[in-house]
Amino acid sequence: MAAAVPEPRLEIHPDTAQRWGIADGDLTEVRSTTGCALARAVLSTTIRPDTVFVPFHFAGPLAVNRVVESRTDPVSGMPDFKATPVSVRVAAAERPGRVPSSRKDPR
């Protein structure tokens, strides 16, 4: 799996991405009151404009679980992944500890 998808992808609607100044392929910072994680933006019209999605199986600064609030569903005990409000912005210039660029060579 890591070879096929080496870094998390933030699925975001094109209208939302445009409003927040995010382009397809940008490294983004996803932040909540509990933490932040990094993910590469992927524009998708299949996601609602008021929603973003990041898979949760990455570690370290890529771990979106750092962003999820500790609330759990009272019946199932599952984390309340779908109700964590976040802000998303283009990440600062890549620094040590950040994921490397995966943008395709424009040639």
Side-chain angles (χ1 to χ4, degrees):
M1 177 67 174
V5 183
E7 62 186 11
R9 296 178 180 164
L10 169 88
E11 288 185 36
I12 185 170
H13 193 278
D15 294 343
T16 306
Q18 181 180 18
R19 201 168 49 248
W20 292 348
I22 297 169
D24 193 53
D26 279 349
L27 181 63
T28 64
E29 181 180 276
V30 182
R31 183 174 295 276
S32 73
T33 58
T34 61
C36 76
L38 301 173
R40 191 74 53 191
V42 175
L43 305 188
S44 173
T45 57
T46 62
I47 194 160
R48 292 172 24 170
D50 64 347
T51 302
V52 296
F53 172 79
V54 180
F56 63 89
H57 58 274
F58 292 89
L62 307 177
V64 78
N65 286 343
R66 298 161 42 148
V67 176
V68 177
E69 294 179 353
S70 60
R71 286 188 316 266
T72 56
D73 179 274
V75 176
S76 70
M78 293 295 296
D80 199 3
F81 298 123
K82 296 180 180 179
T84 300
V86 296
S87 64
V88 181
R89 66 180 183 135
V90 175
E94 293 182 10
R95 303 183 293 263
R98 301 283 181 164
V99 291
S101 175
S102 67
R103 288 188 179 201
K104 293 182 180 173
D105 187 342
R107 289 180 274 159

